[in-house]
Amino acid sequence: MTIHNPPTPTAEAAPIAAGASGPRSLRRHPETIALHGGSFRFDPTTGAIAVPIYQTTSFQLPGTEGADKLFALEAAGHLYTRVSNPTQDAFEQRLAELEGGAAALALASGQAASAFAVLNLARAGDNIVSAVGLYGGTWALFAATLKGFGVEVRFVDANDPEAFARATDEKTRAYYAESLPNPKLEVFPIAEVAEVGRRFGIPLIVDNTAAPLIIRPLEHGAAVVVYSTTKYIGGHGTAIGGAIVDGGNFPWKELSDRQPALHEPDPSYQGKSWIDKAALIDFHPYILRIRAVLLRDVGAPISPQNAFQFIQGLETLPLRLRQHNENAIKVAEFLKAHPKVSKVIFPKFQEGIAAERARKYLRDGYFGALVGFEVKGGREAGRRFIDSLQLLYHVANIGDARSLAIHPSTTTHSQLSAEDQLATGVTPGYVRLSIGIEHADDIIADIAQALESA
Ligand code: PLP
């Protein structure tokens, strides 16, 4: 199994090195890495410069001795697409390089990425500490499903980094947060919480789905980044996928008491620990274990077709983000001046500590492309607004090239009590927009006419 894309199945054993960013490529800009990142240059058989879709389940093994090495993880090479595939590998390498990480692993969905990122460290009896501001699916996973697996998730207020320390005990294995959680759209204090975690030997895992490239969690001390690539990275609303990026910046090796999943002998892998296994091939133990254990045992591989779609998405991601961002600012400013709007929720307009964090963590001039606002007239006005839209889609999604809108109180957050809705920042008139890359004037014209009916 590998994370490397060898030219042929009989290639010399090479160190596993997904997304290895040499010094030359590190100096490149995101726009260039998005097109050239990773070791894929062209297909060695045909010369094709687009990454081929390797639509195959299995790979010819390089003789019995070579197969022994592959199965023992002592050599690089693909065995079976549940665990690795060259198209997936090319996507992972490029994403890891773009994120400034050491290695990446692509999965079938963002949910699989969040679940694996946590389950790789926390086992029955363990706990993790998470910020409250989470996507609903992640909330359900943490509050209900993981609980059923014996993993407790302790929720804390992101505004108080020391709350993570207070919730920590000897069984805490990870901290978890979203970089730009909606509906409040307040940037998470990444460096502050990463620093608390490093005091205890606890990695911070950041879901950066809403802010790829414009927030750089690894540069602020996060150890792991997860994505729903379904959103901005895919960018066109055509494929479900997820990814985990290992920063390669966390001292797993020194944390034998804190991180037993990586340090204890694994009976399913010749009784070796993942720290030892990774050291043998000079690779990163955290991401290696996810592939070798969770992908092997639980599945959820990304399909080669979808990996290809996400490579296409990455190639134009920096360019699209510029347009998303420019349009979002125009829309937010239009809404702020509108008489039917009582409040606009957008990082550019925040005050106090939220504004400070937006300044510290968001790329200069970027605020993301999610815009929340409250329509005067509450629930009914919010619903009328949605029903009057002609250009914007009414969709429970974000990060599409098309502009999208939803009324969270009656859809995504409808399972919550009125009180809990308010606690998460969802008021009855709250509307969430995910601003696309159409012409800003056309987006604003549609919002303006829908507000007339609200
Ligand atoms: N994380 C965030 C912030 C999301 O918005 C979503 C989906 O909306 C997910 C994770 C889950 O991703 P997926 O739908 O690809 O499983």
Side-chain angles (χ1 to χ4, degrees):
M1 103 186 39
T2 188
I3 311 152
H4 195 69
N5 50 344
T8 72
T10 50
E12 287 273 297
I16 295 178
S21 334
R24 183 179 64 90
S25 51
L26 268 184
R27 283 198 300 273
R28 289 180 170 173
H29 297 86
E31 290 79 355
T32 309
I33 298 172
L35 287 150
H36 297 275
S39 64
F40 179 87
R41 180 77 185 148
F42 56 84
D43 175 56
T45 310
T46 63
I49 62 167
V51 178
I53 302 171
Y54 288 94
Q55 193 67 44
T56 181
T57 56
S58 338
F59 300 85
Q60 168 77 1
L61 297 172
T64 50
E65 259 183 48
D68 291 347
K69 285 206 169 104
L70 281 176
F71 276 90
L73 295 185
E74 285 161 10
H78 302 287
L79 297 170
Y80 190 57
T81 289
R82 172 158 30 84
V83 178
S84 76
N85 172 287
T87 314
Q88 170 191 355
D89 180 29
F91 170 51
E92 289 164 347
Q93 289 196 31
R94 206 172 288 183
L95 178 65
E97 193 171 330
L98 205 51
E99 194 65 39
L105 171 59
L107 292 156
S109 70
Q111 281 304 101
S114 319
F116 282 13
V118 168
L119 290 173
N120 197 39
L121 301 174
R123 301 173 300 179
D126 294 339
N127 66 73
I128 68 161
V129 183
S130 173
V132 180
L134 293 174
Y135 160 65
T138 313
W139 176 271
L141 169 72
F142 284 4
T145 307
L146 288 189
K147 204 173 184 178
F149 290 178
V151 174
E152 181 196 353
V153 182
R154 301 171 173 181
F155 294 100
V156 295
D157 178 1
N159 279 318
D160 177 10
E162 283 301 320
F164 282 80
R166 289 194 296 277
T168 298
D169 65 16
E170 74 284 358
K171 294 278 195 182
T172 305
R173 306 293 176 224
Y175 292 165
Y176 192 97
E178 287 182 20
S179 57
L180 183 62
N182 71 78
K184 288 190 179 170
L185 301 177
E186 292 175 1
V187 178
F188 180 76
I190 301 169
E192 293 84 339
V193 175
E195 197 274 321
V196 172
R198 281 172 192 264
R199 287 201 315 248
F200 296 101
I202 296 174
L204 172 63
I205 301 169
V206 175
D207 179 339
N208 200 34
T209 297
L213 293 180
I214 66 173
I215 295 180
R216 312 277 297 162
L218 299 178
E219 288 172 11
H220 297 286
V224 174
V225 174
V226 301
Y227 280 109
S228 164
T229 55
T230 311
K231 312 293 179 333
Y232 292 99
I233 289 175
H236 297 80
T238 53
I240 299 282
I244 302 173
V245 182
D246 183 333
N249 60 359
F250 198 73
W252 303 106
K253 223 165 114 180
E254 297 154 26
L255 300 166
S256 53
D257 291 339
R258 178 58 75 182
Q259 302 297 347
L262 298 182
H263 281 268
E264 285 173 3
D266 185 337
S268 77
Y269 252 105
Q270 305 109 17
K272 284 209 171 67
S273 79
W274 287 98
I275 295 288
D276 290 344
K277 208 76 198 138
L280 281 175
I281 52 171
D282 193 23
F283 198 59
H284 306 279
Y286 172 81
I287 202 108
L288 180 65
R289 184 180 186 275
I290 302 181
R291 187 183 300 275
V293 176
L294 294 175
L295 256 185
R296 178 197 63 185
D297 300 351
V298 189
I302 192 166
S303 70
Q305 286 274 355
N306 281 357
F308 175 82
Q309 296 278 356
F310 293 125
I311 292 169
Q312 307 315 295
L314 275 189
E315 293 188 349
T316 57
L317 178 66
L319 193 60
R320 280 185 285 110
L321 284 176
R322 239 180 277 162
Q323 191 67 27
H324 277 294
N325 186 69
E326 202 180 297
N327 286 354
I329 294 172
K330 287 182 180 161
V331 167
E333 276 167 357
F334 165 79
L335 289 167
K336 200 164 176 234
H338 200 284
K340 286 202 172 171
V341 173
S342 55
K343 188 173 177 192
V344 180
I345 296 96
F346 189 57
K348 188 168 194 263
F349 305 145
Q350 286 163 352
E351 292 170 358
I353 186 81
E356 253 174 60
R357 287 182 185 144
R359 258 195 308 279
K360 176 169 174 182
Y361 292 109
L362 283 165
R363 184 172 166 184
D364 257 3
Y366 280 72
F367 301 97
L370 301 179
V371 181
F373 69 99
E374 286 171 23
V375 201
K376 288 181 186 164
R379 182 178 188 274
E380 291 316 311
R383 289 167 71 87
R384 280 197 301 274
F385 171 82
I386 295 285
D387 285 335
S388 307
L389 289 168
Q390 292 168 11
L391 179 76
L392 276 72
Y393 285 94
H394 180 203
V395 173
N397 193 20
I398 59 168
D400 198 302
R402 304 159 189 86
S403 292
L404 317 173
I406 200 154
H407 182 238
S409 159
T410 51
T411 56
T412 53
H413 289 63
S414 58
Q415 314 294 324
L416 272 62
S417 67
E419 211 175 54
D420 286 349
Q421 285 196 7
L422 285 179
T424 63
V426 172
T427 56
Y430 186 100
V431 173
R432 183 187 77 199
L433 304 176
S434 171
I435 299 301
I437 60 172
E438 303 95 339
H439 196 289
D441 291 352
D442 297 330
I443 303 170
I444 290 172
D446 192 38
I447 293 172
Q449 68 77 25
L451 277 171
E452 290 310 310
S453 313

